[in-house]
Amino acid sequence: MAHENDWDIKGNEEINRLVSVVLPQMIERLHQALEDALKYAKYFVSFQQFQSFIFAKLQEKMHLPAEAKAFLSKEFERIYKEVQKEAVPDLHDVELGSADIWTIQCAEKLSKFYMDGFFQGDTHLRIEVIKWMNQYYLTEGHPIGRGQEGIREFLNRFGQFLTQKTEYKVRQILDTTYNQLKNSARIRAFEKAQITYYQWSAVGDRLTCCYCNAMDGRIFQTSDAIRTIDMIDADPQSLPDVRPFTTSTPLPMLRSMPSSSMPT
């Protein structure tokens, strides 16, 4: 018997599969950056200069490798087709039109944009790294002053810290991209099947935000959703600002607002 959260199990399996391939490659890039830092540390006198060099190496190395891009491209197309078949079972043979290809390429660009800007594009992560380094300097002293072993010990601990951050961020990026791709595949399948309206169904578990819960049960026009998807596909960076994904509307107002009055 199917259970209510079966979708979540399958979704987690899919995301874990993506992470299992992409994460090791990103961790390898991290190790390359730290190896370069160890190699050239002896040329630095001040901790600030050494810190800047590490930042530069992280920016240089931490991006999505070509093998990972090729893997994600194939996986995104497979996932997209499977979701369309599930959304509209009558679509036995899912043929990808130009709009479908555009949406899959958008998912690729979205993951590439965030992975390639992994370090330099994430201000919050940079601040966390700076705080960690400054705290280490205050409690442990200047690693370069303790010779090669001191530098190695510093980089090992820093690597452990950044490995955890890398795993979290890779999973977050792939989770967001995966769910955006699935939602877009469903809506485009509805359009192919000439389904003019669809119902928003929130899961309602502990991970569901209050805004998604407020949308639960609402009926929307497929054509409005298509316009939103087209906007995101044209500019993936606009995703946080496109309704109904935006959370700029006060929650009480959103709960009482008729679906027909929501901006699209």
Side-chain angles (χ1 to χ4, degrees), residues 47-254:
F47 185 67
Q48 289 75 17
Q49 288 176 331
F50 186 42
Q51 188 180 60
S52 297
F53 179 78
I54 294 173
F55 285 163
K57 282 298 174 182
L58 288 171
Q59 291 175 357
E60 174 189 336
K61 301 290 186 179
M62 297 291 284
H63 57 82
L64 199 61
E67 303 94 310
K69 292 176 185 176
F71 166 76
L72 288 178
S73 179
K74 291 178 62 176
E75 287 299 298
F76 286 162
E77 181 174 334
R78 177 188 63 80
I79 292 167
Y80 188 93
K81 289 180 177 179
E82 288 181 0
V83 170
Q84 287 210 329
K85 289 180 180 178
E86 292 173 0
V88 183
D90 291 341
L91 293 177
H92 299 295
D93 296 320
V94 177
E95 294 186 7
L96 299 182
S98 57
D100 299 307
I101 295 172
W102 192 19
T103 296
I104 295 170
Q105 290 176 344
C106 169
E108 295 172 14
K109 290 176 183 176
L110 192 65
S111 61
K112 180 179 181 296
F113 171 76
Y114 285 112
M115 292 289 187
D116 285 355
F118 191 90
F119 188 78
Q120 62 270 37
D122 191 333
T123 303
H124 180 70
L125 178 60
R126 288 176 65 90
I127 291 173
E128 284 191 294
V129 168
I130 291 171
K131 286 182 178 179
W132 188 94
M133 286 185 167
N134 289 343
Q135 182 63 31
Y136 183 94
Y137 182 80
L138 289 172
T139 57
E140 304 293 337
H142 193 346
I144 295 178
R146 302 200 307 274
Q148 196 73 357
E149 286 305 312
I151 296 168
R152 191 184 301 276
E153 190 268 345
F154 162 73
L155 291 174
N156 283 340
R157 287 174 57 180
F158 177 63
Q160 293 170 6
F161 165 78
L162 205 51
T163 294
Q164 293 178 341
K165 296 296 179 182
T166 300
E167 181 175 359
Y168 173 80
K169 184 161 183 178
V170 166
R171 185 172 294 275
Q172 182 185 48
I173 292 170
L174 293 175
D175 195 335
T176 301
T177 305
Y178 170 78
N179 284 293
Q180 171 60 21
L181 180 68
K182 282 183 64 177
N183 291 335
S184 297
R186 289 192 189 100
I187 296 299
R188 293 211 183 275
F190 294 161
E191 183 185 36
K192 290 178 182 179
Q194 299 182 338
I195 297 172
T196 55
Y197 290 89
Y198 69 97
Q199 185 177 48
W200 183 292
S201 180
V203 177
D205 64 4
R206 63 182 180 82
L207 299 178
T208 307
C209 75
C210 53
Y211 286 88
C212 285
N213 272 330
M215 304 280 277
D216 187 45
R218 292 178 178 271
I219 306 296
F220 294 96
Q221 286 190 324
T222 302
S223 59
D224 289 340
I226 289 294
R227 283 198 295 272
T228 300
I229 292 171
D230 286 344
M231 289 173 60
I232 296 170
D233 289 354
D235 180 14
Q237 297 181 50
S238 69
L239 177 59
D241 302 317
V242 175
R243 296 177 183 275
F245 306 101
T246 181
T247 57
S248 60
T249 304
L251 190 57
M253 184 182 298
L254 183 65

Side-chain angles (χ1 to χ4, degrees), residues 12-36:
N12 286 334
E13 288 175 349
E14 290 281 16
I15 293 168
N16 287 337
R17 171 176 163 77
L18 301 179
V19 170
S20 69
V21 173
V22 175
L23 179 60
Q25 296 188 46
M26 293 298 288
I27 295 297
E28 176 61 26
R29 297 281 176 153
L30 169 61
H31 289 166
Q32 290 175 10
L34 296 179
E35 287 171 4
D36 282 353

